[in-house]
DNA sequence: TATTCCGATAGTGAC
DNA sequence: GTCACTATCGGAATGAG
């Protein structure tokens, strides 16, 4: 199906020489049913190396496995460049949820708020994140266009056999994609989230899963570098964000601490959102 | 089987004329498998009358149903006298768990700490509670004697065909029975608990279930009337009792707030206790 | 200090 | 804020002819 965003085929475009022969799935790793079965590392099954930041006792997480051995994960790895590895989140918190992993060991254990103080690094990551968002939007379009009123004209043209080059534009999924990072220092490896806004996922199980993406705890990549006095650098502020009342990402309704109620509401909003 | 406590057959002894024709199960309501099936009132299924104490909004409980219509509950009602009704607790917190319900409407909505300030009332209830404890001990003996080392000589004599009148004494289950009330004003009808000390029951599900019987929240009937300054009259003291660390009734081991761990321990203690 | 159901909250262990 | 598992803790409903 032709897409209103059309970068899905761009998947291997930025791949570096050293990874070319091993890290490239056939065309698009979203076609995972055809990919060879591999076992992704458990989120906690990485090497037990400790953080290089001097904050002992925290796990670096398993994301480093994707960087060091992307060829081992053909189902998860969507793209490898000299600077980043793009993977599908193993526990997606929305219909589409990708992670962009900077590969530089000098960066990937840093707090994102500080890592992105470096404008050059930020610029590289930002470019590749936008590229990743195009891949994400293409996949979202593939999944949702048939339900979308905004894509109806395009859908009908496709059914009528109109050539791809002459299709009317469909829904602009790319503009809905969210790109950013979690604020608080965590045990995990530096990673940028690229995801659809719906929060419609079985993996959204805890209040932190929701509020870490739907409060100022989530920092859009466009907001970097943060001002020195940006309150989002404050741990106290961010802890409070995670405990905030739930607010529907779409309609703004407040749910207090009623997580189960929020979840039921998200089901309804997802159906409405699909149809727009 | 002959019992070292032998009041089981005394079940209907104190029955009043007005209840005689309706409230008497065949011999002993513990033989419940033979009793007609009836549906006991749910613990909260009483009439919607509110407490006479002026504390609106609390359930009065359904115990009054047993008093007003004991004949409707042949499986639960063990004995009816002019003063009390003895029933099996619908949610037994130990191997044997009976409730003795004073029948006087002028008393049964009172706080037990005050109701038992009346020596005459207390004396009547105490006598009938001791009688109830004999019934309870007889049933406990029936259930546990075969496991009991203290009853071994009696068990062997029974197997050898020794006449009941000449059997050696078995384990003194009556001395282990606990008789008393819960301290704090509750939504429920005045009732005296008669129970074995084991706390071995699927119905022990919450910390209050345990601590309400194994802290000073439980007041032995023998301790009444309480002195005017007895700390057990204090609501604050009793609230604290319910939140105390769990202490094994048998070995004294402390379990903090680890209820599940306590439960596992109680299983072990029950097996040991049975065999003593 | 009625029960039961549901659900929010907290601690842990993972290698 | 990694997940998954266990368990503790907390509120609300409950009946009724």
């Amino acid at each position: 199906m032709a897409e209103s965003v059309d970068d899905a085929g761009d998947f291997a475009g930025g791949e570096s020489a050293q990874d070319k022969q091993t890290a490239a799935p056939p065309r698009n790793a979203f076609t995972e049913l055809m990919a060879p079965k591999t076992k992704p590392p458990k989120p906690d099954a990485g090497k037990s190396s400790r953080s290089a930041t001097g904050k002992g006792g925290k796990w670096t997480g398993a994301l480093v496995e994707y960087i060091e051995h992307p060829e081992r994960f053909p189902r998860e790895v969507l793209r490898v460049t000299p600077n980043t590895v793009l993977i599908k989140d193993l526990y997606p918190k929305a219909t589409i949820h990708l992670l962009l992993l900077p590969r530089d060991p000098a960066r990937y254990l840093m707090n994102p708020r500080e890592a992105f103080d470096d404008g050059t690094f930020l610029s590289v990551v930002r470019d590749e994140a936008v590229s990743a968002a195009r891949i994400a939007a293409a996949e979202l379009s593939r999944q949702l266009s048939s339900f979308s009123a905004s894509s109806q004209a395009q859908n009908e043209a496709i059914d009528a056999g109109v050539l791809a080059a002459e299709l009317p534009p469909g829904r602009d999924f790319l503009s809905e994609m969210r790109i950013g990072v979690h604020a608080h220092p965590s045990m995990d490896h530096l990673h940028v989230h690229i995801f659809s806004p719906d929060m419609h996922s079985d993996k959204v199980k805890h209040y932190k899963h929701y509020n870490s993406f739907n409060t100022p705890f989530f920092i859009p990549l466009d907001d970097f570098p943060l001002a020195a006095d940006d309150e989002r650098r404050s741990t106290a502020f961010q802890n409070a964000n995670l405990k905030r009342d739930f607010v529907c990402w779409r309609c703004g309704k407040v749910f207090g601490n009623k997580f189960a109620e929020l979840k039921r509401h998200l089901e309804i909003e997802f159906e409405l959102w699909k149809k727009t």
Side-chain angles (χ1 to χ4, degrees), chain A residues 4 7 18 29-31 74-75 78 96 104 118 120 127 178 203 217 246 253 269:
Chain A
S4 58
D7 284 63
Q18 75 217 59
F30 275 114
T31 63
R75 286 195 302 166
L78 295 179
I96 305 295
D104 181 357
D118 178 328
T120 303
D127 285 350
R178 300 184 63 198
K203 301 301 193 301
F217 191 96
F246 302 123
K253 183 172 175 184
E269 288 288 15

Side-chain angles (χ1 to χ4, degrees), chain A residues 25-178:
Chain A
R27 266 174 297 180
N28 179 334
F30 275 114
T31 63
E32 64 183 317
L33 292 179
M34 294 182 292
K37 297 283 182 182
T38 57
K39 190 178 179 184
K42 289 188 179 178
D44 55 355
K47 289 170 180 166
S48 60
S49 59
R50 298 292 170 167
S51 166
T53 61
K55 294 167 184 169
K58 291 187 175 182
W59 297 97
T60 58
L63 295 180
V64 68
E65 295 292 304
Y66 291 106
I67 291 173
E68 296 182 354
H69 307 288
E71 73 282 1
R72 294 181 185 171
F73 312 104
R75 286 195 302 166
E76 290 77 31
V77 173
L78 295 179
R79 182 161 62 179
V80 181
T81 79
N83 308 303
T84 63
V85 174
L86 179 66
I87 65 173
K88 292 191 284 185
D89 193 302
L90 198 54
Y91 304 94
K93 303 302 188 296
T95 299
I96 305 295
H97 188 177
L98 310 183
L99 298 181
L100 186 69
L101 314 177
R103 302 178 72 188
D104 181 357
R107 308 280 184 186
Y108 66 48
L109 290 177
M110 291 180 71
N111 181 308
R113 298 164 304 191
E114 291 152 12
F116 293 138
D117 281 344
D118 178 328
T120 303
F121 177 68
L122 173 60
S123 178
V124 167
V125 173
R126 186 176 280 155
D127 285 350
E128 303 208 4
V130 170
S131 180
R134 289 196 191 95
I135 295 174
E139 174 59 15
L140 189 61
S141 176
R142 192 187 69 75
Q143 289 189 30
L144 300 189
S145 274
S146 65
F147 305 100
S148 170
S150 313
S151 291
Q152 191 180 357
Q154 187 185 74
N155 291 339
E156 290 169 356
I158 290 168
D159 290 344
V162 173
L163 293 177
E166 298 175 3
L167 285 175
R171 176 169 166 180
D172 181 9
F173 287 104
L174 179 58
S175 69
E176 297 193 67
M177 283 295 159
R178 300 184 63 198

Side-chain angles (χ1 to χ4, degrees), chain A residues 179-276:
Chain A
I179 303 172
V181 299
H182 284 154
H184 201 80
S186 94
M187 71 190 74
D188 222 335
H189 188 286
L190 178 59
H191 54 282
V192 179
H193 296 270
I194 297 104
F195 62 106
S196 55
D198 51 273
M199 301 306 288
H200 184 259
S201 165
D202 289 346
K203 301 301 193 301
V204 177
K205 296 178 177 176
H206 305 295
Y207 69 95
K208 293 175 182 177
H209 293 157
Y210 189 81
N211 274 353
S212 65
F213 289 107
N214 292 280
T215 68
F217 191 96
F218 181 80
I219 308 180
L221 204 56
D222 279 347
D223 289 7
F224 286 96
L226 301 184
D229 64 347
D230 192 304
E231 66 178 347
R232 289 173 292 183
R233 291 181 185 266
S234 154
T235 297
F237 174 67
Q238 294 300 9
N239 285 339
N241 278 325
L242 291 173
K243 302 219 168 196
R244 276 192 188 186
D245 286 356
F246 302 123
V247 177
C248 174
W249 66 275
R250 190 158 179 269
C251 76
K253 183 172 175 184
V254 179
F255 289 84
N257 67 339
K258 308 299 184 185
F259 184 79
E261 210 174 303
L262 169 70
K263 286 283 289 181
R264 290 186 285 268
H265 179 76
L266 289 176
E267 286 289 332
I268 296 168
E269 288 288 15
F270 180 64
E271 292 305 316
L272 295 173
W273 175 72
K274 276 203 316 189
K275 293 171 183 160
T276 57

